[in-house]
């Protein structure tokens, strides 16, 4: 929205400057109420429509036997009282600002023959609701319908080959069909279109410009495998929940999906070379991302303030940028591959649930506060052959030579704290079973985790049944799962402690409390 509003402001300043210049016809003029016109010899252009005209204004096809072919700049003034304008098929061009600031204009139509609508032609016609354009239109200029906030009824002409920057920005369109001749969706063309919910980018489009759909109401997006470029902030602040980006896309701008707060799933192309600055920052619903195998860098604030609970960094990534994962409070662990040689300032700062980072290769160049404000007891693990690390601390963080490290998660999302967390099973009828809950055990250390078993101990241990532990040992980076069911044997509060036994040196057992309440039906 900041990009979009700043760009709109610049556009308004440009319009004001151009308006101040005015325009003076040098050719012979004439009048045919309510019009003033210019005779160009073989054709006529409308230079002015009287402000006293009201209701429906129809431009004549002929004046003095000559075709009317153009509507000049500022021809229809801002102090007018007409509500509808109809152009004949003889008119082929609408000049810049021709209808700008016609505050009472509600409907516009061309009967055919129109070819081009120049920049800002209908700028800020804020009561305009309906525009009918013929298939002959090939060009709609920059800002042509910008800030026509009530415009909901307009279809892009079938013959359109050029759609300018901000062309429909800030309108109330609810749907758009991209014509087959349009190959580029220009910067902010549909920015701020809050009523636009769904878009299909067809096979003819190769480029999506900066802010093209930013701050729009998009919830669904389909990108055809013809697109090769997506510009800065193209889908920023939309309502998208999932996106699949085809492998044809080679060029990505920064902040493409910034502040898409409902984004839950993103499929990145396997040949993507880098994750741009702020690309997914503040995507609060985004839980998991796999960095493509071809990516070599993760940009500044790429995932900052996102909802990530797990991240898989590919083995070709060399640099992790400044604040790349800052304030991702759902992240509990991260594995840094051998390829990483540089980690930027505050890269994982504020990841308050992060308990460990495992480095598979030599110590990279690491800036300040990379893991600042991590969880109490945060530890860095490194492999036996790694060089450059120091024990017991490195860059101020506690370190460990190869060792297993257990992490327990609920549904692979939320990491539990040893000895602190509690799982509440709620109310269950005595003798009946609760729904089954699945827990995941991960080894985020650099040595095999062995001796895995799950038991319940103390209190009402028989009411809580652990089952289906999938593995008894875990290699580094691997995971297992087990399930818990609550089956109360008596009424009232029931509680116990579940213990996960393993070879973890300081969390054996890893334990958390289980509670529930038994109910008795009264007939």
């Amino acid at each position: 929205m900041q990009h979009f509003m700043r760009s709109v402001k610049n556009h308004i300043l440009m319009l004001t400057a151009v308006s101040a210049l005015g325009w003076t016809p040098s050719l012979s003029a004439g009048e045919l109420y309510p019009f003033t016109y210019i005779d160009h010899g073989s054709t006529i252009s409308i230079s002015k429509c009287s402000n006293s005209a009201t209701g429906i204004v129809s431009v004549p096809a002929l004046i003095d036997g000559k075709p009317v072919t153009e509507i000049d700049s500022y021809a229809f003034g801002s102090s007018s009282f007409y509500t509808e304008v109809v152009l004949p098929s003889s008119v082929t061009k609408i000049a810049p600002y021709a209808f700008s600031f016609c505050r009472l204009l509600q409907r516009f139509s061309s009967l055919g023959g129109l070819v081009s609508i120049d920049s800002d032609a209908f700028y800020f016609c804020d009561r305009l609701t309906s525009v009918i354009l013929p298939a002959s239109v090939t060009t709609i200029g920059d800002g042509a319908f910008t800030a026509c906030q009530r415009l909901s009824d307009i279809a892009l002409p079938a013959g359109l080959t050029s759609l300018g920057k901000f062309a429909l920005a800030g309108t109330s369109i609810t749907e758009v069909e991209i014509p087959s001749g349009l190959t580029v969706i220009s910067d902010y063309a549909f920015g701020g279109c809050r009523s636009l919910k769904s878009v299909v980018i067809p096979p003819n489009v190769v480029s999506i410009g900066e802010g093209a759909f930013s701050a729009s109401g998009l919830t669904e997006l389909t990108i055809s495998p013809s697109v090769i470029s997506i510009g800065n902030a193209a889908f920023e602040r939309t309502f998208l929940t999932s996106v699949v980006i085809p492998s044809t896309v080679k060029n990505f701008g920064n902040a493409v999906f910034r502040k898409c707060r409902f984004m839950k799933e993103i499929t990145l192309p396997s040949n993507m070379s880098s994750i741009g600055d702020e690309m997914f920052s503040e995507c609060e619903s985004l839980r998991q991302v796999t960095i493509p195998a071809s990516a070599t860098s993760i940009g500044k604030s790429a995932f900052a303030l996102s909802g990530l609970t797990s991240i898989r960094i590919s083995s070709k990534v060399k640099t992790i940028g400044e604040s790349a994962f800052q304030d991702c409070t759902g992240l509990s662990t991260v594995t840094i591959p051998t390829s990483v040689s540089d980690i930027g300032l505050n890269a994982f700062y504020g990841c308050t649930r992060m308990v460990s980072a495992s480095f598979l290769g030599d110590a990279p160049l690491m800036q300040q506060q990379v893991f600042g404000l991590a969880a109490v007891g945060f530890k860095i693990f490194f492999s036996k052959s790694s060089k450059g690390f120091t024990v017991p601390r490195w860059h101020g963080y506690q370190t460990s030579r190869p060792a297993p490290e257990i992490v327990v998660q609920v549904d692979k999302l939320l990491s539990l704290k040893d000895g602190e967390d509690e799982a509440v099973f709620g109310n269950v009828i005595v003798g009946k079973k609760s729904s089954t809950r699945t827990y995941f055990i991960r080894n985020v250390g650099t040595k095999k985790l062995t001796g895995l078993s799950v038991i319940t101990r103390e209190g009402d241990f028989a009411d809580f049944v652990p089952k289906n532990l999938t593995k008894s040992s875990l290699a580094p980076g691997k995971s297992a799962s087990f399930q818990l069911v609550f089956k109360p044997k008596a009424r009232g509060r029931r509680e116990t402690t579940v213990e996960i036994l393993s070879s973890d040196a300081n969390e054996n057992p890893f334990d958390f409390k289980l509670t529930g309440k038994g109910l008795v039906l009264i007939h």
Side-chain angles (χ1 to χ4, degrees):
M1 179 65 80
Q2 292 172 346
H3 275 67
F4 175 63
M5 292 307 297
R6 183 164 57 249
S7 300
V8 169
K9 182 178 180 181
N10 292 338
H11 194 72
I12 292 173
L13 291 174
M14 179 185 70
L15 174 59
T16 303
V18 174
S19 298
L21 295 175
W23 179 82
T24 303
S26 59
L27 300 173
S28 59
E31 291 187 11
L32 178 66
Y33 184 82
F35 304 108
T36 300
Y37 60 88
I38 305 297
D39 189 335
H40 297 270
S42 60
T43 62
I44 299 290
S45 66
I46 300 298
S47 60
K48 185 66 178 177
C49 179
S50 173
N51 288 338
S52 63
T54 60
I56 301 174
V57 173
S58 295
V59 174
L62 297 172
I63 294 180
D64 293 337
K66 299 177 182 179
V68 177
T69 60
E70 183 173 345
I71 307 299
D72 290 335
S73 297
Y74 311 106
F76 289 76
S78 59
S79 301
S80 59
F81 291 94
Y82 28 83
T83 58
E84 182 174 353
V85 173
V86 180
L87 299 188
S89 58
S90 59
V91 174
T92 60
K93 179 181 179 181
I94 299 174
Y97 319 111
F99 296 90
S100 60
F101 294 101
C102 286
R103 303 294 297 274
L104 298 181
L105 183 63
Q106 298 175 26
R107 294 174 297 279
F108 170 86
S109 60
S110 167
L111 301 180
L114 186 63
V115 175
S116 66
I117 302 172
D118 281 358
S119 60
D120 302 290
F122 293 86
Y123 181 84
F124 213 83
C125 293
D126 57 348
R127 295 193 183 184
L128 185 63
T129 61
S130 175
V131 171
I132 299 175
L133 301 176
S136 55
V137 174
T138 61
T139 302
I140 297 177
D142 293 351
F145 295 96
T146 294
C148 295
Q149 58 190 22
R150 300 185 189 183
L151 178 58
S152 59
D153 183 11
I154 182 173
L156 296 182
L160 191 68
T161 57
S162 177
L163 182 67
K165 298 177 182 179
F166 295 93
L168 289 158
T171 63
S172 292
I173 58 171
T174 58
E175 59 183 4
V176 60
E177 183 175 344
I178 309 297
S180 61
L182 195 66
T183 59
V184 175
I185 299 177
S186 297
D187 297 352
Y188 299 96
F190 301 97
C193 293
R194 305 298 286 180
S195 299
L196 183 61
K197 305 299 183 185
S198 177
V199 165
V200 174
I201 308 298
N204 45 284
V205 173
V206 298
S207 177
I208 301 171
E210 178 177 335
F213 295 92
S214 63
S216 70
L218 279 186
T219 59
E220 296 181 10
L221 172 67
T222 301
I223 303 176
S224 294
S226 57
V227 175
I228 60 175
S229 175
I230 299 178
N232 295 337
F235 301 98
E236 177 189 30
R237 285 184 179 267
T238 57
F239 296 84
L240 294 168
T241 58
S242 65
V243 172
V244 176
I245 301 176
S247 59
T248 53
V249 179
K250 307 295 183 185
N251 302 310
F252 289 89
N254 296 323
V256 173
F257 297 99
R258 179 173 54 192
K259 295 188 178 182
C260 291
R261 300 187 188 280
F262 299 93
M263 178 78 74
K264 295 181 179 179
E265 184 178 0
I266 183 77
T267 302
L268 300 174
S270 58
N271 56 351
M272 191 174 187
S273 61
S274 65
I275 308 295
D277 294 351
E278 299 184 81
M279 190 166 188
F280 299 101
S281 65
E282 297 185 60
C283 290
E284 297 171 355
S285 300
L286 188 63
R287 297 289 183 259
Q288 301 179 33
V289 168
T290 297
I291 305 299
S294 57
T296 59
S297 66
I298 300 173
K300 180 179 179 180
S301 300
F303 296 93
L305 289 161
S306 69
L308 285 180
T309 59
S310 68
I311 180 72
R312 182 175 296 177
I313 300 174
S314 66
S315 59
K316 290 186 179 180
V317 171
K318 297 179 180 179
T319 60
I320 299 175
E322 178 182 335
S323 301
F325 298 93
Q326 182 171 340
D327 293 319
C328 290
T329 56
L331 282 177
S332 58
T333 64
V334 63
T335 299
I336 308 297
T338 58
S339 56
V340 173
S341 59
D342 194 323
I343 303 178
L345 177 73
N346 295 334
F348 294 91
Y349 185 89
C351 295
T352 54
R353 297 188 71 91
M354 184 166 287
V355 296
S356 68
S358 297
F359 287 76
L360 303 183
D362 293 341
L365 176 64
M366 196 163 83
Q367 306 301 323
Q368 295 180 353
Q369 292 292 325
V370 167
F371 297 103
L373 297 184
V376 175
F378 171 80
K379 185 180 293 185
I380 287 177
F381 293 91
F382 55 93
S383 65
K384 189 174 182 179
S385 59
S386 295
K387 299 176 182 179
F389 293 98
T390 56
V391 177
R393 291 186 176 274
W394 179 68
H395 282 271
Y397 304 111
Q398 186 179 355
T399 56
S400 174
R401 296 189 184 279
E405 180 69 16
I406 190 171
V407 168
V408 181
Q409 295 178 309
V410 182
D411 296 330
K412 289 188 176 180
L413 297 178
L414 179 65
S415 294
L416 301 178
K417 293 183 178 180
D418 181 29
E420 296 183 25
D421 281 322
E422 177 180 334
V424 179
F425 281 78
N427 299 329
V428 178
I429 296 171
V430 172
K432 301 293 184 181
K433 293 181 180 180
S434 70
S435 58
T436 300
R437 294 190 184 182
T438 301
Y439 293 82
F440 294 87
I441 303 170
R442 296 178 60 196
N443 179 12
V444 299
T446 53
K447 190 175 181 180
K448 190 174 185 178
L449 183 70
T450 60
L452 277 176
S453 63
V454 182
I455 62 172
T456 50
R457 182 180 60 82
E458 299 179 346
D460 307 303
F461 65 90
D463 291 22
F464 298 86
V465 183
K467 60 180 183 177
N468 300 332
L469 177 63
T470 56
K471 296 177 182 178
S472 60
S473 63
L474 294 174
K478 300 300 181 179
S479 62
S481 65
F482 69 94
Q483 296 174 324
L484 283 171
V485 175
F486 173 44
K487 184 179 180 181
K489 298 182 179 300
R491 66 183 299 177
R493 178 180 172 85
R494 316 295 287 172
E495 63 178 65
T496 189
T497 299
V498 62
E499 294 185 348
I500 303 170
L501 307 176
S502 73
S503 59
D504 186 292
N506 60 352
E507 293 177 301
N508 183 29
F510 185 107
D511 64 83
F512 56 96
K513 184 180 288 187
L514 305 176
T515 63
K517 186 175 182 180
L519 299 180
V520 176
L521 291 179
I522 300 176
H523 299 284

